[in-house]
Amino acid sequence: MRAPSEILVPRPLKDVEVALKDVVDAELGVNIVDLGLLYGLEYGPDNALRITMTLTSPACALTEEIEEQVGRALKGVVDEWHLAWVWTPRWGPDRITEDGREQMRAWTPCSTPPRTSRTAPSGTPQ
């Protein structure tokens, strides 16, 4: 995939990793770096960035969404990138960084409205 820009010299991989922290797994609310989904970053001989990553499960339906987020996050950072999905080694929660664990503790996928008791016409709570 190619992002249009005028970048001629590859950015340090640390800069790429920082940019990829903007890519968030929508089911867990944690970025892919701190979630431990990113297995590898390297530049090929053509200066294209090669990304190797996984998902929490091969059945995860977020591949397209994450690829789109990666493209947005890398715009202006690298000219060309390729993402390879891998399933070995298998992802496990031990790969989550401490920052990722903090993000998970702070994230709520949706807020639950407070329970209210409703009263039936006879005056008895339902």
Side-chain angles (χ1 to χ4, degrees), residues 10-118:
R11 297 281 286 273
L13 292 176
K14 191 66 180 163
D15 291 354
V16 172
E17 189 175 296
V18 168
L20 289 174
K21 286 191 173 201
D22 287 340
V23 179
V24 175
D25 180 306
E27 291 178 341
L28 298 174
V30 180
N31 71 69
I32 62 171
V33 176
D34 288 322
L35 197 51
L37 299 179
L38 193 62
Y39 283 3
L41 291 173
E42 65 181 4
Y43 287 104
D46 57 354
N47 285 339
L49 178 68
R50 310 264 192 269
I51 305 166
T52 307
M53 65 176 292
T54 194
L55 293 170
T56 56
S57 161
C60 181
L62 295 176
T63 53
E64 286 182 28
E65 181 181 330
I66 288 179
E67 285 181 17
E68 289 171 8
Q69 287 187 56
V70 166
R72 287 192 299 271
L74 294 179
K75 187 175 183 175
V77 179
V78 297
D79 278 331
E80 188 173 347
W81 57 274
H82 305 279
L83 193 153
W85 296 105
V86 296
W87 307 111
T88 54
R90 187 175 180 166
W91 178 88
D94 57 307
R95 295 190 54 90
I96 303 172
T97 67
E98 190 53 41
D99 284 346
R101 293 179 194 286
E102 285 297 318
Q103 292 170 53
M104 289 181 85
R105 284 191 277 274
W107 186 74
T108 306
C110 61
S111 57
T112 308
R115 289 190 63 161
T116 58
S117 65
R118 297 186 332 200

